[in-house]
Amino acid sequence: MNSNKKSPSILEINGLTVKMAGFTLVDQVTFNIREREKFIIVGPNGAGKSTIIKAISQSIPYSGEILYKGEDVAKMQKNQIARNIGVLAQHHSVNYSFTVEEIVELGRFSYRKDKLMIKEEKEIIQEALEMTGMIEKRKQSVLTLSGGEIQRTFLAQLFAQNPNILILDEPTNYLDIQYQEQMFRVIEEWITSKNKAVLAVVHDLSLASYFGSEFLLMNQGKAVSRGRKEEVMIPEQLNLVYEMNVGSWLHYLYKHWEKYL
Amino acid sequence: MKIKAVFLTRFFFISMCLILIMNICVVYGSVDINLWDTGRIVFGAITGKFPSDIPERFIPIVLGVRLPRVLMSGLVGASLSISGAAMQGLLKNPLADGTTIGVSSGASLGAVIAIAFSAKSTLVSGLGTFLMSILFSFASICLILFLAKIIDFTLSTNTVILIGVIYSMFASSITSLITTLADKEIKNIVFWSMGSIAGSTYEEVVLMTVILIICSFVLMRNGVELNAFAIGEENAMHVGVDVRRVKLRIMALVSILIGVSVSISGTIGFVGLVIPHITRIFTGPNHKKLLPISMAIGAGFLMLADMFCRTMFSPIELPIGIITSFIGSILFVFIMIRKNSNKFRG
């Protein structure tokens, strides 16, 4: 039913359940992500979207299986996880005046035992800075940057880390519209050129349906539906979860711009 | 190769500065012994032959009293500074230090318990004080972070400091209680609590040197990990740092350094807070540079501070904690103000 079905799956989530303080935040969620897929999780606040990301990055206890190319992530070494699965957090606050470059260089932490040539390392960092448009501010302290620039700095760190699957938690929350577009373009370019995949939590439904190739709709910790855009991002599904007429509201929002097209 | 040359020049320059400060500190004191004579006495101690034109009473003053004291103040200054720098990085908290998060009070409590309940043998009680101080400082860090995590999952700067202050009071109250009740050992406890760097022996100097070299070496090897923590624990995990293991390792090293420092010299407040901040002005926040330079500046600072304590109101000698706390508390307020103004800037 999907042309992507043939490519091998990178990440498999089987019956993921997360419980905290007596509440079930994520309940028996199963899905898998294949190469070149742009897998988007959507759903209202409190649906458990970010919790799934925290479980995949091993920062909270969970039950169920998370497999990377068939291997149990919980049993992998930390630097192996970092080389394969890269996470961009929703929000970053930095207390010390590290430079942009110093933060991007940390992306190479899991490779430091490989003893790559200094020149090679420099090129990887250079490329990451160029892709995110931070090259001119490389020597600048992060304390002087705007929220969007900080987010792009950490995206550059993630590119330097060069994982096979990018996990993004609301990646454009702090970005103005021009960088929103740019960021998704950069990510798209990056994953298609290198046979990678991305898993992203995106709040904005228009942005989600523009960017994603596969979707998971969640509500109150449960997976409501899963599949392609035509199967998930449709009023029949969304209206129930968001308890409103999603289509007409979005249409209403964008009506103003139609006459300028 | 160029990097190595720069590194060696800097290393040489800093060592020279420290040796100069050390000499100045040995020369100044209540008895006037000039730099030339001091140098000859130290040199004589190495060769075993003292020049005859130096009054004999000068020799024990320089070798027995001043030199070990100056050495010890340098070592303690270096230990407190590197542990402060490491803690500020680990907890991503610019206000963290042995004093502010309560670790020093914990170490004092350990030392006092060791003295109060130790056997008469001085060796056992001496070792006991060290071990108990280290043990208690480690337990204190664990407890404080555990409590902070329960109260505020994000381990915010202010929560950790607040709990540190409360814990400090708690530990001090128990220390006072033990001091009051331990009638036989009270003399030893009081003696220990007043025992600043003044009574340092060469055995202590050697012990402290060995511990400082080992701990600082391992801490510096973890410089990149500390950078990652200073940017954020979550980010550290994402780039592949084994967060739990590294955290435990750094906490253990810091506990050893603070524990031994406290058991030798008592609580010397705010050195670990102030010195890393001053150092960051020159080095930036990168721990690869911050840790060694903090150590050097801390050593120089405490040697000079101790010299002022000895000479400023001579013959009255000030406790060294007065000077460090005086400077430290003012800087503490300054850092807090600057931190809050950053918040408003967004």
Side-chain angles (χ1 to χ4, degrees):
Chain A
M1 103 190 173
N2 189 330
S3 62
N4 274 344
K5 270 261 157 46
K6 282 166 207 148
S7 56
S9 81
I10 298 186
L11 198 67
E12 262 182 81
I13 314 284
N14 292 328
L16 179 71
T17 302
V18 180
K19 286 182 182 162
M20 230 175 238
F23 292 99
T24 306
L25 301 179
V26 175
D27 193 3
Q28 291 288 335
V29 172
T30 299
F31 61 91
N32 58 13
I33 300 172
R34 294 161 205 283
E35 268 177 13
R36 292 178 182 228
E37 254 177 22
K38 289 167 280 179
F39 194 100
I40 311 282
I41 306 179
V42 287
N45 289 330
K49 306 183 298 283
S50 297
T51 313
I52 291 183
I53 285 185
K54 287 205 181 89
I56 296 172
S57 65
Q58 306 294 307
S59 36
I60 51 170
Y62 60 86
S63 59
E65 268 185 331
I66 297 174
L67 305 175
Y68 173 80
K69 289 186 176 168
E71 201 180 338
D72 189 353
V73 175
K75 290 182 184 135
M76 284 165 71
Q77 287 199 322
K78 304 284 181 215
N79 64 334
Q80 281 306 320
I81 298 178
R83 281 166 174 229
N84 294 310
I85 304 173
V87 185
L88 182 67
Q90 202 174 93
H91 173 67
H92 294 96
S93 71
V94 183
N95 280 356
Y96 298 107
S97 62
F98 285 98
T99 63
V100 169
E101 202 167 23
E102 280 171 324
I103 287 184
V104 178
E105 275 167 3
L106 263 182
R108 304 296 300 164
F109 181 84
S110 53
Y111 297 89
R112 73 207 165 121
K113 283 183 181 140
D114 289 8
K115 304 229 186 306
L116 285 182
M117 299 293 290
I118 293 173
K119 200 180 145 217
E120 230 171 299
E121 288 281 331
K122 282 228 162 101
E123 275 168 15
I124 293 169
I125 288 158
Q126 173 97 11
E127 194 194 341
L129 285 166
E130 274 167 4
M131 282 183 93
T132 50
M134 291 305 290
I135 192 84
E136 269 150 39
K137 303 206 166 174
R138 65 195 299 171
K139 297 285 177 206
Q140 209 165 312
S141 154
V142 278
L143 296 184
T144 64
L145 301 181
S146 70
E149 287 167 332
I150 291 178
Q151 192 68 346
R152 280 191 286 147
T153 303
F154 281 93
L155 182 69
Q157 184 193 65
L158 199 55
F159 283 166
Q161 195 174 322
N162 197 21
N164 283 323
I165 178 160
L166 282 186
I167 296 187
L168 313 168
D169 193 356
E170 298 277 357
T172 53
N173 245 6
Y174 286 83
L175 299 187
D176 56 43
I177 198 162
Q178 140 205 21
Y179 286 121
Q180 255 181 27
E181 193 216 6
Q182 193 189 333
M183 184 127 160
F184 277 116
R185 283 245 166 95
V186 166
I187 293 170
E188 195 158 4
E189 197 180 299
W190 192 77
I191 57 168
T192 46
S193 70
K194 302 188 179 180
N195 274 349
K196 312 235 169 194
V198 63
L199 164 64
V201 167
V202 179
H203 234 103
D204 186 326
L205 292 172
S206 313
L207 210 57
S209 54
Y210 158 73
F211 178 68
S213 66
E214 295 288 311
F215 296 86
L216 174 71
L217 176 63
M218 290 193 63
N219 193 23
Q220 297 181 348
K222 290 196 169 90
V224 176
S225 70
R226 188 168 52 237
R228 284 172 299 147
K229 199 186 296 181
E230 301 76 36
E231 294 161 331
V232 180
M233 302 301 274
I234 46 176
E236 288 90 319
Q237 301 278 4
L238 297 173
N239 290 357
L240 270 175
V241 167
Y242 285 94
E243 294 173 352
M244 63 181 282
N245 191 338
V246 174
S248 76
W249 169 243
L250 288 181
H251 189 255
Y252 179 75
L253 276 183
Y254 288 102
K255 212 158 64 184
H256 167 73
W257 306 107
E258 275 170 5
K259 54 179 178 258
Y260 300 104
L261 287 173
Chain B
M1 288 306 102
K2 205 176 143 198
I3 297 168
K4 221 162 210 177
V6 172
F7 172 78
L8 281 178
T9 341
R10 280 192 192 148
F11 183 77
F12 183 73
F13 175 73
I14 291 167
S15 312
M16 281 297 117
C17 287
L18 279 181
I19 290 173
L20 184 72
I21 291 174
M22 204 176 89
N23 278 323
I24 292 169
C25 291
V26 175
V27 167
Y28 280 97
S30 46
V31 181
D32 252 341
I33 308 172
N34 64 40
L35 187 62
W36 175 237
D37 285 349
T38 311
R40 283 198 300 163
I41 292 172
V42 175
F43 188 69
I46 299 165
T47 57
K49 243 169 62 188
F50 295 103
S52 52
D53 60 319
I54 297 173
E56 220 161 83
R57 66 191 172 91
F58 282 7
I59 294 169
I61 292 176
V62 170
L63 292 180
V65 181
R66 287 188 193 169
L67 190 59
R69 176 174 182 161
V70 170
L71 286 173
M72 186 50 95
S73 52
L75 290 167
V76 169
S79 303
L80 293 176
S81 304
I82 195 173
S83 21
M87 253 191 295
Q88 286 167 20
L90 183 73
L91 301 176
K92 192 188 164 184
N93 186 340
L95 297 177
D97 153 53
T99 347
T100 51
I101 74 166
V103 181
S104 304
S105 310
S108 305
L109 176 59
V112 167
I113 290 176
I115 298 168
F117 298 104
S118 74
K120 292 280 177 283
S121 151
T122 48
L123 180 78
V124 173
S125 72
L127 265 180
T129 344
F130 277 142
L131 290 180
M132 286 290 276
S133 286
I134 294 170
L135 215 70
F136 267 71
S137 48
F138 186 66
S140 307
I141 296 190
C142 294
L143 183 71
I144 292 156
L145 292 185
F146 173 72
L147 285 176
K149 212 154 210 173
I150 290 178
I151 294 169
D152 176 2
F153 187 72
T154 58
L155 275 189
S156 86
T157 312
N158 297 339
T159 316
V160 176
I161 300 296
L162 189 64
I163 291 171
V165 170
I166 295 165
Y167 178 79
S168 252
M169 288 180 191
F170 172 76
S172 309
S173 71
I174 297 190
T175 308
S176 311
L177 182 74
I178 292 172
T179 314
T180 320
L181 295 180
D183 52 8
K184 264 189 198 154
E185 301 291 339
I186 193 159
K187 217 170 73 186
N188 289 337
I189 293 176
V190 172
F191 186 73
W192 172 82
S193 63
M194 293 196 311
S196 56
I197 305 169
S200 301
T201 63
Y202 282 107
E203 286 83 16
E204 286 172 337
V205 169
V206 170
L207 182 84
M208 191 77 219
T209 310
V210 172
I211 287 172
L212 179 62
I213 287 173
I214 295 171
C215 291
S216 59
F217 178 76
V218 184
L219 277 178
M220 283 184 226
R221 298 255 322 186
N222 284 274
V224 181
E225 283 87 338
L226 276 171
N227 285 344
F229 272 103
I231 288 165
E233 191 174 324
E234 198 188 5
N235 191 246
M237 198 179 64
H238 292 162
V239 298
V241 176
D242 191 340
V243 168
R244 196 175 298 173
R245 185 188 292 177
V246 173
K247 198 188 221 175
L248 210 64
R249 184 188 301 151
I250 288 167
M251 273 161 47
L253 291 165
V254 164
S255 310
I256 293 173
L257 285 172
I258 293 180
V260 174
S261 301
V262 167
S263 70
I264 287 176
S265 61
T267 309
I268 299 177
F270 294 101
V271 177
L273 176 76
V274 177
I275 302 299
H277 278 278
I278 295 172
T279 312
R280 268 190 215 101
I281 297 171
F282 306 110
T283 64
N286 190 337
H287 287 78
K288 290 243 150 194
K289 293 181 200 152
L290 176 65
L291 293 179
I293 306 289
S294 282
M295 235 164 74
I297 295 183
F301 171 79
L302 210 64
M303 285 194 282
L304 288 173
D306 183 53
M307 185 185 77
F308 281 118
C309 289
R310 283 184 286 138
T311 55
M312 202 155 46
F313 296 103
S314 171
I316 297 170
E317 198 176 286
L318 298 174
I320 189 164
I322 289 183
I323 285 197
T324 60
S325 295
F326 180 79
I327 301 172
S329 44
I330 293 172
L331 200 89
F332 186 92
V333 174
F334 176 73
I335 297 165
M336 280 202 89
I337 291 171
R338 208 178 55 170
K339 201 171 135 284
N340 279 334
S341 66
N342 272 349
K343 215 181 273 169
F344 291 121
R345 241 176 1 146

